[in-house]
Amino acid sequence: MPTVRQQRRGWSWVCWTAIVAAAGCGDAGSTSAGGPSNVAPTQPGGDPIKLLFITNSNADWWNAVEKGMFDGGRDFGVAVEMRRNEGTTAGQIRLLEDALSLRDVDGIAVSVIEAEAPGVADAMRELQKAGKVVIAIDSDTAPEFADARSAYIGTNNIAAGIAAGRAAATLRPEGGKVCVFVGISSAANARERKLGFFQGAGDRFVEAETFDDGGDKARASSNVDTALTKYPDVGCLLGLWSYNAPRIADQAAADPARRQKLTIVTFDLDELAVGHLERGNIDVTVCQNPYEMGYQGVKLLKALIQKDEATVAEILPDGKTRDTGVRIIVPSADSPIRGDNVLTIEEMKTWLESKGLKSS
Amino acid sequence: MAGEQGAQVVVSPPPAREDQTNRRRSGLGLLTGSSELGLIVAIVAVLALIYLLDPQRSFFDERSLRTLIHQAARFGVLALGAAVVIIAGGIDLSVGSVVALASVVSAMLTTEWLPALGAGSATANPWVVPAAILLTLALGVLIGLAHAEMINRLRLPPFIATLATMAGLRSLAMILSNNRPKTVNVEAFRALGYDPRWTISIFVACALLAHLFMSRTVLGRHIYALGGNEAAARLSGLDPRRLKRIVYGLAGFLSALGGILFTGQSGQGQATMGVSYELFAITAAVVGGCSLAGGVGSIRGTVLGLILIQCVIKGTGQVIRGIDSTQIEGLVLGLVVVLAVAFNQGVRGRRE
């Protein structure tokens, strides 16, 4: 009988939904960081301030941003939450659209997955229209979509790329072919780092090929294997995103004779890359300061929401951007790379421990 | 076999089970015995639960509901194709990959290929966007026809035929795009997937046409008959090969249309688009009452199943703090498929 069947289906749905909803209707994952008294400051309207960080990927690198975000939330007395995108443009648009429904969220920091994706910029503008403050963090929008965010906090990726390129030139004066590894090569930070690298490295370094993995770590490993097979004369392996570093080092270390002929330059300090640096499987890594991005992001969003112009001016010297700087990490003091911002991996580990971090 | 049909005695195809159900309805039955009543009750119950459990009521904001309906419309186009295939007794696992290929092809036609052929830029020549859309839809139909031929001529099970293209078409999209996103910042193109008025209108039109096709035409009844019992349908004088070409061609068309809509939303054609979208489409159809054994289901039910799933996914993400809808959707879809199929199997088992 159709009626009985449909009614049973309906009741099964009601029961199921009730179970799911009842199991998780609490505030289980909310990361309130309202300080010792747990009293968050309020907007002019009277509601406590809540901030949301939306990532471009789910890399370990974001753990350091999250730590800075939590510490910022505690120090500035606001509630914070991070939502990690699984690595697609559609996924990030979904997260931005979901944020429209979160009435208690006042400010959003977005690591823009595709600088030139109009859909991401449109979703950010929708949030602004809904009265929420939106900033870009880590990876910015393309210049034509700059109106979609109030400010950008992150690395000057061209300068970071130049630093990486100069380090490569120091380690390998003769130059050579470069294979580049990255999640999404059209992301703003990837493009800028690559551009900066070849500026800093000079004419002796030429690009052999750029391998995209789309955020898939397994593919990131197989890309390195493919590159080593496809380009027997490659001289330099360049990893643009944090998780590329251990994948490059894993593959290169598997063949010690080949490793001797390669210069490996990476960005950031993935947790898995720390050991590789200690063992010399990575020659140099240009490390951003994700902790600072998270911390300053919270401070800036709160100041923008509360229209605290003095704090905004302090964080944004030029009114729009904040460069959180880079450090250059080398395996040991024997490295020929020198400079004020150069640290050995041991020194970097000491700093990580002081912040309660395992990666940066 | 098609060649044997001339020797068969042509009789009327067996009536679809949905039609049998409709015949029994009358009077009060029209109000209480509607085949989709259970789904409507479930949707209302889910909305009531969300209302009770979300103290901010933000789910019911105008912006939130608009986003929900807009999202449902994009996935709905895919679900319609999946429903028709499932009713015909088949399955199409290539939906997500067709979305990806259509995304890349439509973007490249609009911004690179047609302008390179002398058509001019999409902003200067108003025919570029319609031409790109028509060519992409034609590609979708061709992919669907290829599925039908693999099933008809090579005698591949639909699962295997569409599994092969699921892998192959995404790879083709990667090769064509060289793994680069193809930006389509052309308003006439983007509006289809970005402007809710366009997207929802397209979905409603597709749903109405599919409903009329499946419930009011002889061809629709033949598709139900094919799904219910292919051997019986063949003995009744139907041509299963022709019907499969129509069904898979239609599904390919709708998947390509979905690819265009999703590309309009993001403003970029991408080979990574549409991963697991076949799961959304199949789940909506199954929850809407389509039996994976074929011959049972409806477009109305599929639309209601789609709405129910979208409400549960978004609502659960809204009610459970610290979890977003992209995290919960896989769990919801998985549970829903198991529950819906188990329920249908249980009911069918008791009947037998």
Side-chain angles (χ1 to χ4, degrees):
Chain A
M1 262 176 74
T3 304
V4 172
R5 181 181 171 196
Q6 300 308 323
Q7 283 173 347
R8 282 179 179 156
R9 181 183 296 144
W11 282 114
S12 76
W13 268 102
V14 173
C15 295
W16 177 82
T17 310
I19 290 165
V20 170
C25 64
D27 205 15
S30 180
T31 42
S32 174
S37 63
N38 210 27
V39 177
T42 58
Q43 285 193 84
D47 296 328
I49 288 177
K50 180 166 182 183
L51 309 177
L52 186 66
F53 280 54
I54 295 177
T55 73
N56 58 2
S57 75
N58 55 8
D60 286 345
W61 184 85
W62 284 100
N63 295 342
V65 179
E66 191 172 49
K67 181 67 168 58
M69 181 191 80
F70 283 144
D71 287 356
R74 179 197 62 217
D75 291 353
F76 303 115
V78 296
V80 291
E81 182 181 336
M82 178 175 278
R83 293 194 170 186
R84 297 185 187 228
N85 180 33
E86 89 287 11
T88 66
T89 307
Q92 186 164 74
I93 292 173
R94 283 274 306 278
L95 290 174
L96 290 165
E97 288 180 345
D98 283 354
L100 270 176
S101 313
L102 301 173
R103 203 181 284 173
D104 57 339
V105 169
D106 309 296
I108 295 141
V110 189
S111 173
V112 179
I113 188 166
E114 288 281 1
E116 293 179 354
V120 174
D122 288 336
M124 290 166 70
R125 290 190 189 107
E126 282 290 310
L127 288 165
Q128 289 178 322
K129 282 184 203 164
K132 301 179 193 297
V133 174
V134 180
I135 65 169
I137 187 169
D138 167 49
S139 189
D140 201 4
T141 59
E144 62 265 35
F145 301 136
D147 63 299
R149 85 317 188 244
S150 302
Y152 167 66
I153 291 185
T155 308
N156 179 335
N157 284 298
I158 291 181
I162 290 172
R166 286 180 179 156
T170 303
L171 292 164
R172 191 181 187 84
E174 71 275 24
K177 283 187 182 174
V178 183
C179 285
V180 185
F181 305 93
V182 65
I184 299 170
S185 56
S186 55
N189 59 0
R191 286 186 310 177
E192 290 169 4
R193 286 174 194 178
K194 189 166 119 179
L195 180 69
F197 176 86
F198 285 104
Q199 279 181 22
D203 296 339
R204 291 185 175 177
F205 287 81
V206 291
E207 181 184 348
E209 187 172 340
T210 295
F211 294 84
D212 283 42
D213 55 57
D216 181 340
K217 272 82 170 181
R219 189 179 297 166
S221 290
S222 65
N223 280 349
V224 180
D225 190 45
T226 304
L228 291 172
T229 309
K230 191 172 177 181
Y231 298 100
D233 56 343
V234 66
C236 179
L237 304 182
L238 173 64
L240 294 180
W241 281 9
S242 60
Y243 65 81
N244 293 122
R247 274 83 200 175
I248 294 170
D250 282 340
Q251 297 290 327
D255 183 352
R258 187 83 187 270
R259 168 69 186 98
Q260 296 297 318
K261 300 174 186 169
L262 293 168
T263 301
I264 299 179
V265 181
T266 62
F267 281 84
D268 300 322
L269 190 58
D270 188 278
E271 189 177 345
L272 294 171
V274 173
H276 281 300
L277 263 155
E278 288 177 314
R279 293 189 293 277
N281 293 334
I282 295 171
D283 293 305
V284 61
T285 190
V286 176
C287 195
Q288 301 180 82
N289 197 341
Y291 177 89
E292 192 70 1
M293 289 181 207
Y295 193 86
Q296 294 294 335
V298 171
K299 188 176 178 182
L300 177 62
L301 278 169
K302 182 189 169 192
L304 288 168
I305 290 163
Q306 294 188 323
K307 300 187 177 16
D308 177 357
E309 291 178 7
T311 304
V312 171
E314 175 202 325
I315 301 171
L316 304 173
D318 67 355
K320 278 291 177 187
T321 57
R322 163 75 177 228
D323 181 3
T324 47
V326 294
R327 281 169 289 192
I328 296 171
I329 316 300
V330 293
S332 71
D334 297 337
S335 171
I337 299 167
R338 298 277 186 271
D340 293 339
N341 58 347
V342 177
L343 298 177
T344 65
I345 185 62
E346 283 306 315
E347 291 167 335
M348 186 62 182
K349 278 173 71 179
T350 304
W351 180 83
L352 289 174
E353 283 166 16
S354 74
K355 296 291 182 190
L357 297 171
K358 292 180 178 174
S359 61
S360 179
Chain B
M1 297 286 288
E4 294 169 353
Q5 282 170 15
Q8 303 290 348
V9 177
V10 177
V11 295
S12 297
R17 277 179 241 177
E18 186 190 48
D19 290 350
Q20 292 170 332
T21 302
N22 288 339
R23 282 177 195 169
R24 285 199 291 269
R25 285 184 205 142
S26 63
L28 192 62
L30 282 172
L31 295 174
T32 60
S34 162
S35 60
E36 284 81 29
L37 183 62
L39 284 163
I40 293 170
V41 169
I43 291 168
V44 172
V46 167
L47 292 176
L49 273 171
I50 295 168
Y51 186 82
L52 291 173
L53 295 173
D54 179 13
Q56 297 181 323
R57 310 275 186 268
S58 49
F59 181 92
F60 298 95
D61 276 357
E62 181 263 335
R63 284 176 192 274
S64 174
L65 290 175
R66 188 182 63 197
T67 304
L68 174 75
I69 296 166
H70 197 182
Q71 174 94 334
R74 283 189 290 261
F75 281 109
V77 171
L78 308 179
L80 297 175
V84 174
V85 170
I86 290 171
I87 289 169
I91 194 82
D92 186 354
L93 300 180
S94 71
V95 171
S97 295
V98 177
V99 165
L101 184 62
S103 173
V104 167
V105 167
S106 62
M108 294 185 77
L109 278 167
T110 305
T111 59
E112 295 178 24
W113 292 340
L114 290 176
L117 289 172
S121 73
T123 45
N125 183 348
W127 291 103
V128 168
V129 170
I133 290 169
L134 286 175
L135 288 169
T136 306
L137 294 175
L139 173 69
V141 173
L142 282 175
I143 292 168
L145 292 176
H147 286 147
E149 290 311 308
M150 281 191 275
I151 294 163
N152 288 335
R153 292 184 191 280
L154 304 180
R155 298 192 177 281
L156 295 182
F159 180 90
I160 298 298
T162 56
L163 183 69
T165 51
M166 180 173 92
L169 295 178
R170 188 172 297 282
S171 182
L172 183 58
M174 287 176 175
I175 293 167
L176 289 174
S177 65
N178 196 20
N179 269 1
R180 303 281 188 277
K182 301 291 177 185
T183 300
V184 203
N185 206 0
V186 179
E187 186 54 33
F189 183 96
R190 287 207 62 209
L192 300 178
Y194 175 63
D195 186 338
R197 290 169 298 185
W198 273 101
T199 317
I200 293 166
S201 301
I202 289 168
F203 169 62
V204 169
C206 289
L208 278 174
L209 289 172
H211 169 70
L212 292 174
F213 171 68
M214 292 299 288
S215 63
R216 298 280 186 272
T217 68
V218 174
L219 207 50
R221 290 184 63 194
H222 288 180
I223 290 170
Y224 274 99
L226 172 71
N229 188 329
E230 183 172 343
R234 188 182 295 117
L235 290 170
S236 302
L238 303 185
D239 181 354
R241 292 184 172 212
R242 174 174 162 265
L243 290 173
K244 285 177 187 173
R245 282 195 287 271
I246 292 168
V247 165
Y248 283 96
L250 185 61
F253 174 89
L254 288 167
S255 296
L257 179 58
I260 292 167
L261 299 184
F262 281 103
T263 308
Q265 180 206 18
S266 72
Q268 286 189 319
Q270 285 182 302
T272 53
M273 186 177 280
V275 174
S276 302
Y277 284 10
E278 54 278 346
L279 187 58
F280 278 94
I282 292 169
T283 306
V286 170
V287 171
C290 296
S291 166
L292 289 172
V296 176
S298 70
I299 297 299
R300 281 181 313 198
T302 301
V303 172
L304 290 171
L306 171 81
I307 293 169
L308 178 59
I309 288 170
Q310 293 293 331
C311 287
V312 173
I313 290 173
K314 189 173 174 68
T316 313
Q318 196 100 5
V319 168
I320 304 175
R321 294 289 167 178
I323 290 181
D324 63 66
S325 62
T326 61
Q327 291 171 319
I328 199 85
E329 67 189 16
L331 183 63
V332 170
L333 290 174
L335 278 170
V336 164
V337 167
V338 170
L339 288 173
V341 174
F343 185 81
N344 282 338
Q345 296 283 64
V347 170
R348 199 169 295 122
R350 279 195 293 277
R351 277 184 191 157
E352 288 168 0

